[in-house]
Amino acid sequence: MTIAPAQRTGSTAWTDARLILALEEVVETELNRHLAIAKEWMPHEYIPWSRGRDFDGVLGGEAWHVEQSGVTPLGRISLVVNLLTEDNLPSYHHEIATMFGREGAWGTWVHRWTAEEGRHGIAIRDYLLATRAVDPVALERARMDHMSAGFESDNAHSMLHSVAYVAFQELATRISHRNTGHYAGDPLCEQLLAKIANDENLHMVFYRNLLKAALEIAPDLAMQAIRDVVTDFRMPGHGMPGFERSAAQIAIGGIYNLRIHHDDVLQPVLRNLRVMEVGGLGPAGLRAQEELGLFLGGLDAQATRFDERQAALLARRAANAARKAG
């Protein structure tokens, strides 16, 4: 079965301004749906404030030591990466406000999304400091370094590329938060990150449905944007100091890796959009569709090789730990 686009318009006729205008009604519908189902929650209610105490410095409290943390080393690494990513919200707001505008349904969504995302960074930082899960000095220096370097989206050149990117990125962020909570070693951390992950899932649904509408009105351009984003996907925190090392540890630990990216992020969105079934494409759209299929097959093979290497590495670690324990 193929999905025929509701309207065929030559790709050369579309500009970002025309696409934004054409999708305004869809944005309004999705905004109203989002507001109807999104549940208000208070970040402070998820923080174990009773665990907190003064740090050394101006207040003359106790210096931080890693032994004070009840979070696992893997959880600590991922929590810092997730928080530093959330910290760049001012740059993300600037990107989408510049792209989508500040008026009408688009503008209302931009500000609502920013407000909801803002509480994620607040809540994670409060949790980390109240529980002494991370070195507060190192965390603040990392924040300063990351934000001072600035952020430039890989997809700022195109409205459809921006929509396609966030459709996948929001789900990737949801998975990262959810799995971080699972591996953190603290039920309260898992509870908090599950709440944040739920927000991210609602954001994904908004952008995914918007991308679905774009496939109907401008199928060739939307298909090319999906191909480009999927084949060149990078998480927004890729520019932070030490990201590659942290990402490798997060991958080996099972929080976010190629297998998860393929199975739990790319495939669910693409299946929902029924991307490989879209018909009525022109030459450029057909080529993008074919290239997307080929890439996914190659990525699946890469993920299988990663799975094998990961299993071997974890087996070696377990054997070494057993020898030391014996």
Side-chain angles (χ1 to χ4, degrees), residues 35-164:
L35 294 175
I37 63 177
K39 305 297 184 185
E40 181 184 57
W41 63 280
M42 299 298 164
H44 70 275
E45 295 180 357
Y46 290 81
I47 308 303
W49 300 105
S50 59
R51 295 189 195 175
R53 57 189 186 275
D54 293 344
F55 287 98
D56 60 330
V58 176
L59 299 181
E62 182 181 359
W64 182 85
H65 297 287
V66 69
E67 293 80 11
Q68 298 166 358
S69 174
V71 170
T72 64
L74 176 62
R76 188 179 308 117
I77 292 167
S78 191
L79 279 162
V80 170
V81 169
N82 289 357
L83 175 57
L84 293 181
T85 300
E86 298 285 359
D87 277 336
N88 247 346
L89 181 61
S91 291
Y92 309 147
H93 174 84
H94 173 75
E95 292 273 351
I96 65 171
T98 300
M99 175 63 69
F100 300 142
R102 294 173 172 82
E103 305 299 328
W106 281 102
T108 302
W109 167 254
V110 166
H111 295 306
R112 174 71 187 202
W113 174 87
T114 302
E116 292 184 2
E117 289 286 347
R119 65 187 169 202
H120 300 167
I122 292 170
I124 295 173
R125 176 170 280 100
D126 284 348
Y127 168 82
L128 293 178
L129 297 181
T131 63
R132 291 182 168 245
V134 300
D135 181 348
V137 174
L139 181 65
E140 175 60 9
R141 287 172 177 167
R143 186 191 70 84
M144 289 293 295
D145 288 345
H146 185 39
M147 295 190 69
S148 296
F151 171 81
E152 183 176 354
S153 170
D154 295 333
N155 303 286
H157 62 287
S158 159
M159 175 267 186
L160 282 181
H161 282 74
S162 295
V163 171

Side-chain angles (χ1 to χ4, degrees), residues 1-28:
M1 177 180 178
T2 59
I3 304 170
Q7 174 184 345
R8 277 300 312 278
T9 304
S11 61
T12 56
W14 286 113
T15 63
D16 281 352
R18 285 198 63 206
L19 283 165
I20 288 171
L21 182 61
L23 291 168
E24 176 87 19
E25 186 175 340
V26 179
V27 171
E28 183 174 4

Side-chain angles (χ1 to χ4, degrees), residues 170-190:
E170 293 284 3
L171 182 52
T173 304
R174 173 209 167 193
I175 297 295
S176 180
H177 283 310
R178 186 196 67 188
N179 288 347
T180 298
H182 178 70
Y183 285 100
D186 181 358
L188 293 182
C189 180
E190 185 168 15

